[in-house]
Amino acid sequence: AKTIIETAKLTAGIYPAEVIFYGDSNYDQSPLTVNFNVSRVTPTIDVAIGDVIYPANATATINIANNANGTVNITVGTKVFNETVLNGVASVNLSGLSAGLKDAVVEFFTNDGYNNNVTSSLKFVVNQTGSSVDIEYVGGPNYFPKSSDPSALSKFIKSHVIGKLNISAKVDGI
């Protein structure tokens, strides 16, 4: 004969079970104690990192199945960021990244009933920021207005300037 017994959710570990057959008119009472193992499960990791424009920080949003608790480490190049996972959720600020295509490796560690060293990887981009150069002729009888067009300044200099020329330039407003 076979009997199936349902239990409440059990965390990973080894548990004893005692089964007693109390007997009947044909059989004696028979107790049996056995140990059974509830294995750790490997959680699924869902990671999203949106592309950003330098120098903005990227944000990693991490969801771990079944409301797991633990820690995540995210490695981007030589930088390692970590954050606590609580009820399956973590948000990690990825700061100080240079522009370019980035590989992120996410590792999840826990002491809950889950396997450790679960990893996920993904790519995201820190896009280069646009820049502008404003050039202005300073002083002299022929004032040249601000321009982002180097060829316009070059034409002006060739056709109007003889001798010394003072020029100021701003890159991205600085």
Side-chain angles (χ1 to χ4, degrees):
K2 180 178 182 180
T3 302
I4 297 175
I5 300 171
E6 292 186 25
T7 65
K9 283 187 173 182
L10 297 173
T11 59
I14 297 175
Y15 295 90
E18 183 177 42
V19 179
I20 301 173
F21 175 67
Y22 289 102
D24 60 18
S25 60
N26 295 315
Y27 297 96
D28 291 335
Q29 179 175 336
S30 178
L32 174 66
T33 301
V34 295
N35 289 324
F36 65 95
N37 186 27
V38 175
S39 299
R40 289 178 174 257
V41 295
T42 299
T44 57
I45 300 176
D46 181 29
V47 183
I49 303 173
D51 295 346
V52 295
I53 298 174
Y54 178 85
N57 296 336
T59 300
T61 303
I62 300 155
N63 290 289
I64 312 280
N66 300 321
N67 295 324
N69 296 311
T71 303
V72 288
N73 289 346
I74 301 178
T75 304
V76 180
T78 60
K79 294 188 177 216
V80 178
F81 306 88
N82 56 47
E83 188 60 58
T84 300
V85 178
L86 185 59
N87 295 322
V89 178
S91 180
V92 184
N93 182 29
L94 307 174
S95 61
L97 300 175
S98 61
L101 178 64
K102 304 297 178 187
D103 291 310
V105 176
V106 181
E107 298 174 278
F108 175 64
F109 302 95
T110 182
N111 57 6
D112 283 351
Y114 298 95
N115 287 319
N116 279 312
N117 301 326
V118 178
T119 62
S120 179
S121 61
L122 70 154
K123 294 181 184 298
F124 67 100
V125 177
V126 177
N127 291 295
Q128 291 179 329
T129 187
S131 60
S132 64
V133 178
D134 292 329
I135 302 172
E136 180 179 347
Y137 171 67
V138 181
N142 299 311
Y143 176 75
F144 182 78
K146 286 185 178 181
S147 174
S148 298
D149 180 5
S151 66
L153 181 60
S154 177
K155 288 177 188 174
F156 172 80
I157 292 170
K158 288 179 182 175
S159 64
H160 292 92
V161 176
I162 300 172
K164 200 174 204 180
L165 177 66
N166 294 320
I167 297 176
S168 69
K170 291 183 179 180
V171 177
D172 290 330
I174 299 174

